[in-house]
Amino acid sequence: MSTIDFGIRGPRHVPGESSRGAARCAGHSTSARAATLLRKADALLSAAAGADAPPERFRLAYLAALRGAGAVVAAAELRAPARPLRRPGTRNAWVLMARADESFAVWADYFADRSATRTAVEAGVARAVDVDDAGEFYDEVGRFLHDVEDYLASEEGAEIASTR
């Protein structure tokens, strides 16, 4: 097995170490959907690390953050008491994540503040983000995904403790 390590250069797999993140989550009672989303986020962040152009690095890192938000929402659904199914009032990932778990509200605000930059990048505005901005954003997404990984691991621990 390998683990995901979020360093300055982004995620990398470390052979021989026990997994605390997506791989471990998939094998236990943690939401398989949340684990899948975290794996997709890791893959997108890895792709961002190899992107040549700053706008593409930013775009891929932003998409990784969106998958991370989805993992938080999916995991929080399991923690919440059963309630009638109804469509949420918004489809904004950052709003949904902040509602799902208040501890991610600061991250939600951070990413929401960068939504206009993502829109500009996807519209082809090459000067929307420079090398330093893309690098800083990439690093922050790595930190965020590490927090998501810890969140999923803590969910797993809580579920194991409740069965004893």
Side-chain angles (χ1 to χ4, degrees):
M1 282 221 164
S2 67
T3 187
I4 309 293
D5 180 16
F6 292 95
I8 290 178
R9 303 190 129 222
R12 68 179 194 271
H13 296 279
V14 181
E17 292 185 13
S18 65
S19 175
R20 289 195 43 205
R24 188 176 82 182
C25 293
H28 291 80
S29 57
T30 300
S31 167
R33 183 171 157 227
T36 297
L37 287 165
L38 184 57
R39 278 192 301 275
K40 288 180 180 180
D42 290 339
L44 284 163
L45 196 61
S46 291
D52 292 332
E56 182 63 3
R57 186 174 199 196
F58 181 92
R59 187 185 74 80
L60 290 169
Y62 190 94
L63 292 175
L66 283 172
R67 297 311 181 282
V72 170
V73 172
E77 286 174 355
L78 292 179
R79 294 179 181 193
R83 48 183 182 227
L85 293 175
R86 67 172 217 231
R87 188 170 185 201
T90 182
R91 295 179 63 190
N92 182 300
W94 312 125
V95 172
L96 292 173
M97 181 177 69
R99 285 182 188 166
D101 192 302
E102 291 178 6
S103 66
F104 284 95
V106 172
W107 280 120
D109 290 342
Y110 175 80
F111 292 120
D113 287 346
R114 279 133 189 96
S115 293
T117 303
R118 176 203 177 193
T119 302
V121 165
E122 290 184 346
V125 179
R127 289 177 278 166
V129 62
D130 63 21
V131 173
D132 291 337
D133 292 337
E136 179 183 322
F137 184 72
Y138 172 87
D139 292 344
E140 289 302 311
V141 172
R143 286 182 197 72
F144 166 66
L145 293 180
H146 183 73
D147 287 352
V148 173
E149 182 180 24
D150 288 347
Y151 180 72
L152 296 182
S154 72
E155 172 188 87
E156 179 181 311
E159 288 177 7
I160 290 170
S162 70
T163 60
R164 290 185 180 168

